[in-house]
Every structure is written in C-alpha cells, then in structure tokens.
Amino acid sequence: MKAYLKVYHAIRQQIQSGEVPVGSMLPPEPMLEKQFSVSRTTVRRAMLRLSEEGFIRIQQGRGTEVLSPLSSDDTFHNASSIQEILSSFDRPFAVHSCCIDRIYADRTIAGALQIPEGTSVYQIQRLLYHDSSPFALMKNYVRTDLAPNLEQYAGDLIDLYELLRKKYHLVFFYSKEHLSAVAAGFMEANLLNVRPGTPLLFCTRYAQTQTVPLEYGQIYFRTDQYALVVERQG
C-alpha cells in the first residue's frame, strides 16, 4: 500500500471511531510527518483525499477541521432523484453582494482545480436570498486561464455555469458533492443572519467539463431555509 494511503486510512479510522471528534483540529503537518514517519508531500496527499471525501476541511491559517465521522461508502444508495427544497416554493431566489477577486490557491483549491499551489485563481463570493432572507453563502473558485477577465461579469452573475458556458464555452459535464453538518462561525453567522454555533449544511463541490476542472465550490446553507430530499428505489 502506498504511504499516503496508509496515512489516509489511519486518520479516517480515527475520525470514524470518534477518537478524533467532529469539530476538533487535526495536528499540523510537521507533527503528522513525525507521527507516520512520512514526507510532507505524503501527508498532503492524504489530507487532500480526506478533504475530497468530506472528512476534513482545510482552512488556510487556521488548520484542518474534522467534519464528519461518516464513511465515504455511506452514499445515497440507489438514489433515483435528489431535490433541493427551499422554504417557500412561490418566490425565486436572488443574488446579493456578489464579489469576484483574485487569490492565491492553497493546496485544497489547487488540488481541486489541478494547478500548482500558489497559482492565482478567481474567488467568487455570493450571498443568496430567498423570500427576503439569506439562505446560502457561496464561494466558488475558477482557474484564471480558463476564464480571463471574469471579474467584469460580477454584476451579471446569477448562474455561474450558465455564465461560463455563454462567455467562455465551458460546458458542465460532471460534479461530485460532499455534504456535512457544521456549526456557523462568526462570519457565516453574520452573513446568514443566524446565531454563531447554529447548525448549517456545508457542501463541498468539485465540477468539471469533459476535459478540465470547471470550478471548486464551498457552500453554507441555512437548514431552516434549505433541505435536500432524496428518493431511493430498489
């Protein structure tokens, strides 16, 4: 077994068993290197896989937070449909406070977009309202080489995939999403108009065209305004 997989399986087992509780922070990379007697690159590959499967959230400057004890095998088996439900069906949602700027990709964003760490990427931040109330805080990351001058469309952005299709001929083909429950931090609480510590639904999304990554997204949903309904058969 490859070294990074040994680290991945060991940490995943600690999360699933509750040895490392949800909401706690994993040790920093230098400590994990010593603990498993591996290189920094090996640790980062293991962390990236854990992040992609929704077990952890890597936050630059803050550390690595444990998100969920669920196994990656605990999926929506035989799902025939998955519907997004808002609290009121008869009123459309609206985009508020859209901002597009450039940042340097940390290792999570870089891994998702398949670019070197430290590469400049677009960060798109939006607050979605429904029925005059905020229900979702969205952060999307897009490669600058695929969508040059994307910031000029900040005032027109509603559907990111539709914008990328029309302006850059980038067509959505496939996505993978990881869902977990998190507690609202100070920033999320203020933007979504909830108390700090309120349970939120956190979605990490990886989307791509047939050939290249399309975007990487992080979305916080208010659970009193938004829900997923899964139908299964078989």
Side-chain angles (χ1 to χ4, degrees), residues 2 12 26 34-35 41 49 63 90 106-107 109 127 147 149 159-160 176 179 193:
K2 294 183 178 180
R12 189 179 75 166
L26 290 181
K34 292 181 179 179
Q35 178 182 342
T41 300
R49 178 158 177 175
D90 58 347
D106 61 22
R107 66 179 183 271
I109 298 170
L127 194 58
N149 302 313
D159 186 324
L160 177 60
K176 179 171 64 175
L179 301 171
N193 194 27

Side-chain angles (χ1 to χ4, degrees), residues 74-82 229-234:
D74 292 331
T75 56
F76 293 122
H77 295 294
N78 301 324
S80 59
S81 72
I82 300 177
V229 176
V230 180
E231 295 183 3
R232 298 188 296 176
Q233 61 183 11

Side-chain angles (χ1 to χ4, degrees), residues 99-161:
C99 174
I100 303 178
D101 56 2
R102 293 184 184 227
I103 65 167
Y104 295 110
D106 61 22
R107 66 179 183 271
T108 301
I109 298 170
L113 296 180
Q114 299 178 16
I115 55 176
E117 186 175 347
T119 301
S120 177
V121 298
Y122 286 115
Q123 176 181 249
I124 306 164
Q125 300 183 83
R126 288 173 290 166
L127 194 58
L128 274 58
Y129 272 64
H130 179 256
D131 198 17
S132 302
S133 179
F135 79 92
L137 171 61
M138 306 185 71
K139 291 184 180 181
N140 308 89
Y141 301 91
V142 177
R143 288 169 46 166
T144 56
D145 61 327
L146 296 179
N149 302 313
L150 181 62
E151 59 265 43
Q152 67 181 304
Y153 301 113
D156 304 320
L157 181 56
I158 297 178
D159 186 324
L160 177 60
Y161 292 173

